[in-house]
Amino acid sequence: FLEAFLTGSTSTFAYAPPNFPQGGTPPENDGNNSNNKFKRKTSDGAFDPKVTKASTTTSSSSSFSSSKRMSPVLKAPPQRPTVAYRSLKIDMDEFGVNVPVAMWYPAVATAAGDVTTTTTTAGKRKRIGGGSVVRPGQPIMDYPSLRYVMPNSSTANAATTDDIIAATYSHRISLKRIGQLLAGWDFIPEFVSKDFTLTPTMNMQYNDVGTSSSTELTTEMTTMMTTPMVGEYVMNGEQVKLPEKGPVVLLAHGYLGSRFDLSHLAEELANQGFICISPEYPESLASSYPRKEGLDRGKITSRIFDILETDLKITPTSRAVIGHSLGCGTAMSTGDDTWTRVLIAGFPVMRNGMAPKGPVLLLSSTNDGAVSAGRVLSALPPEYVRLDEDFIKGLAYDAAKGSPTKLPQKSALIFNRPDAPNHISYLANGVNEAMISLLSPLLPVAKALNIPVLDFDKYQDSRDSKQTADIVIPLVTAYLKQMML
């Protein structure tokens, strides 16, 4: 299913999980709806006795108003990063191409007594780590006082021994590749493509100092930039030692997608202790390498895991794969029954009608114009338990209280409301905004030529990546932690 005119790379705004009053409990369904949903009985996460198996009819879930969502909150730059990002290239020698791979992992300290250094853009050597080894997922505890340095700035070029460089994502949208894959056009020149420097979701709130049209906001953010504060954000991983082992999550983008499509999810998972890898598959709109006959997703994925263990010396303690749209097929065909799978905006079964075994979380929406919820439900195996959206909003709350809710091994969340997510609402905000900035003028042409746009027109109106992330990220994070850790 062509993930048409769109799919891009990285996010710009950070999500914040739903908030509940101190000592209160998440909203509960009033019990009058007879549809089969996974409901909360008590705050200890016990199953409601009314839980039933999935049906093939679309249920009406409770309305979701904007008042229930938390807006992004401005934060000061933290002193210690919690997530590291690296951009890798995997040699596919048989095909003569290098495949870009994005990698996120917990920022961890080096071995006791070691002093790891790297060279800054100014040619200076800087201390990176030292002290005790910490568990993957814990913030770095042995750093000196660190100053936040915005990348690609004069400050970054003059980095000192106490500085760190925030990560950015180098994203590209190739109009030539889009034309080739959607319309069979070969006449579009490559130079009309556009490069984007995307800001990680965790870093977004304080990366645009001085660019706001509001003097008040600019002053506030400038003040924050000079105020030390410990928190979460993504740093350039060249400064951070790779973990020796940990739970590994593969992110599989869709047709005309990019390795940054689910970067906002990868950042949070890395913050929770996961190692996330996201390759650019041959159908990517970035067009970083030529498409070669015989080079497919399976070969790239297999090569990545070989390199992960043999070259990078990382031992996966458990494995999962998250797919969006066409990437759901990749998710279902990768690994064995021990793998955990998350299927976003795709089908729950393979083309041969077989459903994957093992833990599976499915997310679908009645507002998805590319993969309709009706078709998804008609193919949904009966062992899936339907989750209620209000129930999902309590996951972060329960985790914060130290009593994480137990989710069914086969779970499905079907968004069913007038403002439900569309096909690309699940992608990182920065990715979608990059597509809008470049592709919006071409939308009338695409429609006139009957080129599928896969909800790009809907997203122009909804712009709901952040609101969708408020639900999706806590759910996926809680599910993978339960199944993999």
Side-chain angles (χ1 to χ4, degrees):
F1 300 118
L2 300 183
E3 253 180 51
F5 229 73
L6 16 96
T7 315
S9 167
T10 295
S11 73
T12 315
F13 294 91
Y15 86 98
N19 195 18
F20 298 101
Q22 184 175 4
T25 56
E28 188 172 2
N29 191 282
D30 60 10
N32 295 326
N33 193 329
S34 60
N35 293 303
N36 48 359
K37 301 173 181 176
F38 184 62
K39 303 174 183 177
R40 168 184 322 282
K41 182 180 180 182
T42 63
S43 60
D44 63 4
F47 279 15
D48 188 304
K50 299 177 183 178
V51 172
T52 57
K53 303 299 181 181
S55 70
T56 57
T57 59
T58 303
S59 64
S60 59
S61 68
S62 55
S63 61
F64 185 74
S65 64
S66 58
S67 62
K68 295 182 181 179
R69 303 168 182 151
M70 286 184 63
S71 300
V73 178
L74 294 175
K75 296 180 182 178
Q79 289 182 296
R80 296 178 178 88
T82 56
V83 177
Y85 164 76
R86 288 197 191 190
S87 180
L88 308 176
K89 288 214 171 181
I90 303 299
D91 293 331
M92 301 297 294
D93 295 333
E94 179 183 352
F95 301 95
V97 300
N98 294 324
V99 175
V101 178
M103 181 178 184
W104 297 264
Y105 54 97
V108 297
T110 56
D114 287 348
V115 176
T116 305
T117 60
T118 188
T119 304
T120 68
T121 52
K124 300 180 181 180
R125 302 293 287 178
K126 57 193 295 186
R127 184 178 185 276
I128 299 306
S132 303
V133 177
V134 297
R135 296 193 306 273
Q138 286 187 311
I140 296 173
M141 301 304 294
D142 61 342
Y143 269 60
S145 177
L146 299 175
R147 180 178 59 144
Y148 177 83
V149 177
M150 289 175 34
N152 304 320
S153 67
S154 59
T155 310
N157 291 330
T160 71
T161 56
D162 288 343
D163 292 338
I164 57 174
I165 307 297
T168 58
Y169 306 144
S170 298
H171 177 47
R172 184 170 183 265
I173 298 179
S174 169
L175 293 180
K176 181 179 180 67
R177 177 59 59 86
I178 293 174
Q180 287 174 335
L181 295 185
L182 288 183
W185 297 340
D186 288 321
F187 59 82
I188 300 177
E190 194 63 59
F191 67 79
V192 298
S193 302
K194 186 172 181 179
D195 295 318
F196 296 85
T197 298
L198 302 176
T199 302
T201 297
M202 284 185 176
N203 303 11
M204 161 48 203
Q205 303 99 313
Y206 38 79
N207 196 57
D208 292 329
V209 174
T211 61
S212 172
S213 59
S214 167
T215 303
E216 180 180 356
L217 179 60
T218 302
T219 302
E220 180 182 7
M221 294 186 73
T222 303
T223 301
M224 287 180 171
M225 286 293 291
T226 61
T227 304
M229 177 179 176
V230 176
E232 304 164 347
Y233 80 102
V234 185
M235 72 177 294
N236 187 326
E238 297 302 323
Q239 307 172 43
V240 182
K241 179 184 176 182
L242 291 171
E244 296 179 358
K245 62 181 179 179
V248 175
V249 180
L250 173 72
L251 305 172
H253 67 72
Y255 198 83
L256 286 176
S258 86
R259 62 191 185 277
F260 302 115
D261 281 359
L262 300 176
S263 57
H264 55 336
L265 178 54
E267 291 167 21
E268 180 57 30
L269 287 173
N271 188 47
Q272 297 291 330
F274 293 85
I275 302 164
C276 298
I277 49 178
S278 179
E280 180 183 316
Y281 288 118
E283 306 86 1
S284 170
L285 51 61
S287 188
S288 300
Y289 58 91
R291 302 180 73 203
K292 299 281 188 174
E293 184 176 354
L295 178 59
D296 57 25
R297 292 177 172 233
K299 288 184 174 64
I300 292 173
T301 299
S302 178
R303 176 68 172 150
I304 287 173
F305 276 92
D306 286 343
I307 289 179
L308 191 74
E309 298 190 50
T310 59
D311 292 60
L312 301 181
K313 308 298 182 183
I314 298 175
T315 301
T317 55
S318 54
R319 295 173 174 85
V321 54
I322 303 173
H324 173 257
S325 192
L326 188 67
C328 292
T330 307
M332 288 186 284
S333 61
T334 300
D336 56 26
D337 296 348
T338 65
W339 285 51
T340 300
R341 295 172 173 82
V342 178
L343 311 178
I344 303 175
F347 286 97
V349 296
M350 293 178 279
R351 291 184 178 181
N352 59 9
M354 297 294 293
K357 298 180 180 179
V360 182
L361 170 64
L362 173 76
L363 285 79
S364 184
S365 173
T366 55
N367 200 32
D368 191 327
V371 182
S372 71
R375 295 174 62 193
V376 170
L377 286 169
S378 66
L380 191 66
E383 62 266 24
Y384 277 78
V385 176
R386 293 278 297 279
L387 307 180
D388 181 80
E389 197 171 327
D390 279 339
F391 161 79
I392 301 303
K393 296 172 191 175
L395 292 177
Y397 174 83
D398 286 347
K401 289 180 60 180
S403 56
T405 301
K406 189 173 182 180
L407 294 162
Q409 189 179 61
K410 287 286 198 303
S411 296
L413 173 62
I414 311 297
F415 290 95
N416 182 20
R417 45 182 164 83
D419 61 343
N422 56 64
H423 195 65
I424 64 169
S425 299
Y426 304 97
L427 307 187
N429 186 68
V431 171
N432 282 335
E433 291 302 314
M435 288 191 291
I436 285 177
S437 68
L438 180 62
L439 303 178
S440 289
L442 304 178
L443 183 59
V445 177
K447 286 188 172 182
L449 296 176
N450 292 321
I451 296 175
V453 297
L454 294 177
D455 288 353
F456 185 61
D457 50 345
K458 289 183 179 180
Y459 188 81
Q460 277 193 306
D461 295 329
S462 66
R463 306 290 271 269
D464 58 345
S465 284
K466 291 175 288 182
Q467 292 86 347
T468 303
D470 288 347
I471 301 296
V472 172
I473 292 181
L475 171 59
V476 174
T477 302
Y479 185 80
L480 292 186
K481 289 179 73 173
Q482 176 183 321
M483 301 299 169
M484 298 178 69
L485 301 184

